Amino acid sequence: MPKPPPLRRAIPEFIRVAQHFRADLARERWRIVKAMGALFVGVLAQLLEPWPLKFVIDAILTPQGDRPSSDAILGLPMGAALLAAGLAYIGIIGIRAWAQYAESVGFAVIGNRVISRLRSRLYAHLQSLPLSFHNKSRHGDLLVRVVGDVKLLRDVAVTAGLPLLASALVLIGSCSRR
């Protein structure tokens, strides 16, 4: 029987692995809600970034005959409109920076707390194994599993997975705008 495509194998494996973290993630649900909220605010700010520049570019590139009377943009004189657009851009950048900071710190804390609990469970499990298991196994392998593989798991989830989610949301938001 041919092997199923990698994605068809990966999704059930991901669900099986995620089951191990359900209780740990449930304990962190409020932190997850706050961090996801910060992620959505950051994505929204990233989608809003070009709008103040749109008004500036439209004002500069609009032919003189098509420009509203008294060089006004949105009912403001040209200088005031450019200042408002600049301040709006700086405000949006500030909101985006705050949201990315809150998201990064929030997900890092969640990841570290979940991984600490996982390491504790692994250590307790290793302590409960019979001495014959420890005599047969290579000590470096156990150390790599407890330290390295668990860190790699956190890195995949926090460092790679969440930026991928944010980028997907930006892509969806960008494609849905007209």
Side-chain angles (χ1 to χ4, degrees):
M1 181 172 169
K3 288 171 47 171
L7 186 60
R8 289 178 80 187
R9 282 191 315 243
I11 292 173
E13 279 297 311
F14 174 77
I15 292 170
R16 188 180 65 78
V17 170
Q19 298 295 327
H20 291 286
F21 300 105
R22 183 184 302 161
D24 291 325
L25 291 174
R27 290 176 66 180
E28 303 294 331
R29 71 177 155 268
W30 292 113
R31 282 187 179 88
I32 292 171
V33 167
K34 288 190 251 183
M36 288 300 284
L39 180 118
F40 287 123
V41 168
V43 166
L44 182 62
Q46 192 171 0
L47 291 172
L48 289 176
E49 261 180 52
W51 284 17
L53 297 176
K54 173 202 178 304
F55 292 112
V56 172
I57 291 171
D58 287 350
I60 292 172
L61 296 180
T62 301
Q64 290 290 4
D66 295 341
R67 196 171 286 162
S69 61
S70 73
D71 278 345
I73 305 170
L74 299 174
L76 296 172
M78 180 70 80
L82 291 177
L83 179 65
L87 291 175
Y89 186 71
I90 290 171
I92 290 170
I93 295 292
I95 290 170
R96 181 176 169 204
W98 170 84
Q100 286 178 335
Y101 173 77
E103 166 200 337
S104 296
V105 169
F107 284 123
V109 167
I110 293 165
N112 286 333
R113 290 172 66 104
V114 169
I115 293 303
S116 293
R117 286 190 216 107
L118 177 62
R119 281 190 179 135
S120 294
R121 286 196 307 270
L122 279 172
Y123 182 74
H125 177 70
L126 286 173
Q127 291 293 315
S128 70
L129 292 173
L131 191 57
S132 62
F133 170 82
H134 292 288
N135 286 334
K136 285 188 274 182
S137 66
R138 295 187 341 208
H139 302 294
D141 287 344
L142 296 177
L143 188 62
V144 166
R145 299 280 182 243
V146 172
V147 176
D149 289 357
V150 172
K151 181 186 178 303
L152 185 63
L153 184 64
R154 186 197 66 206
D155 289 346
V156 166
V158 174
T159 308
L162 294 170
L164 180 65
L165 174 64
S167 296
L169 291 173
V170 169
L171 179 66
I172 291 168
S174 296
C175 291
S176 66
R177 290 191 326 192
R178 292 178 190 196

